[in-house]
């Protein structure tokens, strides 16, 4: 079984480790037939993953954060290769949902002796996501976070608190399950997996193999509700807290008079006024 490790050298907050050397050490100890490729620019991981799949690699491993995982997984859609993950980011949402080891030696050992399963894949305006996508405040924070200059949970919290004082909800029209809902959007999250990352559970009941997206709507976020949302995210109780409204669907449309930013797997993409969100059932194989 040939394995290709695709390493994002800029992922993570601990960049003093010689990750290629450690990958080589642990994968050799596990008896793997492997190669290591490093990304050089945004989007490169997708290209490398597609090439590795064409060359017959059975497992193509994203070594990085959720953005790297998204790129590698995009490159593997429609191929015979499975996605592996060595989590090296600040959130590691998909790795946590799949209960993969978060330490480097354990993650390498697991991916070198994997079992396989298939998972659902979401798309928002044609852009694949594997963990979560969303509109509103979380997308706005992801945009500001990318500009912050530093990574990590503490930076994300600082940016979130700063932007909370500024952000206002936007009216939207939400179409799903043969219903049309006129509402405000502070956060509109589409969850394939249960969490954003860092064990922040936006959709604790989400099942990554059920053919449905869990849709979480928060129409406003005054301070008292913000506290309940924060506690619910941390404890995995948001769905029962009364602070958010949930739906499940495999196809959602959203329209708004004012453009909204959207993110996929924590990375801001663009602003738009119309969104189409759909799910592809069991469209990606993963090594777990």
């Amino acid at each position: 079984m040939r394995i290709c490790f695709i390493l994002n050298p800029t992922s993570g907050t601990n960049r003093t480790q010689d990750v290629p050397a450690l990958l080589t050490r642990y994968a050799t100890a596990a008896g793997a037939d492997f190669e290591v490729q490093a990304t050089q620019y945004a989007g490169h991981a997708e290209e490398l993953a597609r090439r590795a799949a064409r060359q017959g690699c059975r497992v193509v491993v994203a070594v990085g954060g959720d953005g790297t995982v998204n790129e590698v997984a995009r490159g593997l859609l429609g191929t015979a290769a499975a996605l592996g993950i060595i989590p090296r980011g600040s959130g590691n949402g998909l790795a946590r949902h799949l209960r993969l080891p978060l330490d480097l030696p354990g993650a390498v050992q697991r991916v070198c002796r994997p079992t396989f399963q298939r998972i659902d894949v979401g798309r928002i305006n044609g852009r694949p996501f594997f963990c979560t996508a969303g509109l509103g405040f979380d997308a706005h924070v992801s945009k500001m976070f990318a500009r912050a200059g530093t990574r990590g949970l503490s930076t994300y919290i600082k940016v979130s608190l700063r932007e909370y004082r500024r952000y206002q909800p936007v009216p939207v029209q939400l179409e799903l399950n043969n219903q049309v809902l006129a509402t405000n959007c502070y956060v509109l999250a589409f969850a394939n997996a249960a969490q954003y990352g860092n064990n922040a559970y936006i959709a604790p009941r989400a099942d990554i193999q059920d053919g449905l997206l869990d849709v979480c709507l928060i129409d406003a976020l005054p301070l008292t509700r913000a506290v309940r949302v924060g506690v619910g995210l941390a404890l995995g109780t948001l769905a029962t807290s009364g602070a958010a409204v949930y739906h499940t669907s495999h196809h959602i449309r959203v329209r708004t008079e004012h453009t909204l930013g959207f993110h996929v797997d924590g990375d801001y993409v663009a602003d738009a006024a119309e969104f189409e969100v759909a799910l592809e059932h069991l469209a990606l194989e993963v090594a777990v």
Side-chain angles (χ1 to χ4, degrees), residues 43-193:
H44 195 200
E46 181 177 356
E47 298 171 17
L48 292 174
R50 191 175 293 115
R51 183 190 308 161
R54 284 199 307 266
Q55 292 174 347
C57 288
R58 180 66 182 94
V59 181
V60 182
V61 185
V63 187
D66 290 326
T68 307
V69 171
N70 182 282
E71 283 195 25
V72 171
R74 289 197 318 253
L76 299 181
L77 290 173
T79 76
L83 169 71
I85 303 174
I86 306 294
R88 298 283 298 166
S90 54
N92 303 314
L94 187 57
R96 290 177 188 270
H97 184 96
L98 295 173
R99 301 184 184 277
L100 299 176
L102 299 181
D103 65 294
L104 187 61
V108 173
Q109 185 176 43
R110 176 76 66 87
V111 83
C112 290
R113 297 191 177 101
T115 57
F116 297 96
Q117 66 182 50
R118 300 195 72 83
I119 65 171
D120 297 338
V121 175
R123 287 184 183 269
I124 179 168
N125 287 2
R127 182 84 175 225
F129 65 93
F130 306 91
C131 201
T132 64
L135 322 177
F137 181 68
D138 56 353
H140 177 71
V141 169
S142 70
K143 182 179 182 179
M144 297 298 105
F145 180 63
R147 299 175 177 177
T150 58
R151 307 294 288 177
L153 179 59
S154 62
T155 299
Y156 191 86
I157 291 173
K158 289 176 185 176
V159 171
S160 298
L161 292 174
R162 184 192 71 208
E163 296 303 318
Y164 170 72
R165 294 192 295 269
R166 307 173 181 176
Y167 195 79
Q168 297 297 319
V170 174
V172 299
Q173 180 179 283
L174 177 63
E175 299 179 25
L176 76 172
N177 302 331
N178 298 315
Q179 302 178 70
V180 179
L181 307 174
T183 183
N184 284 335
C185 167
Y186 196 94
V187 170
L188 184 56
F190 310 104
N192 189 35

Side-chain angles (χ1 to χ4, degrees), residues 159-238:
V159 171
S160 298
L161 292 174
R162 184 192 71 208
E163 296 303 318
Y164 170 72
R165 294 192 295 269
R166 307 173 181 176
Y167 195 79
Q168 297 297 319
V170 174
V172 299
Q173 180 179 283
L174 177 63
E175 299 179 25
L176 76 172
N177 302 331
N178 298 315
Q179 302 178 70
V180 179
L181 307 174
T183 183
N184 284 335
C185 167
Y186 196 94
V187 170
L188 184 56
F190 310 104
N192 189 35
Q195 61 170 280
Y196 287 133
N198 282 309
N199 293 326
Y201 291 92
I202 186 64
R205 296 171 176 168
D207 182 339
I208 207 165
Q209 297 176 306
D210 67 354
L212 294 168
L213 291 167
D214 284 37
V215 182
C216 173
L217 171 65
I218 301 173
D219 60 1
L221 203 63
L223 183 58
T224 53
R225 192 190 292 188
V227 172
R228 289 161 59 202
V229 168
V231 172
L233 287 170
L235 299 182
T237 57
L238 186 58

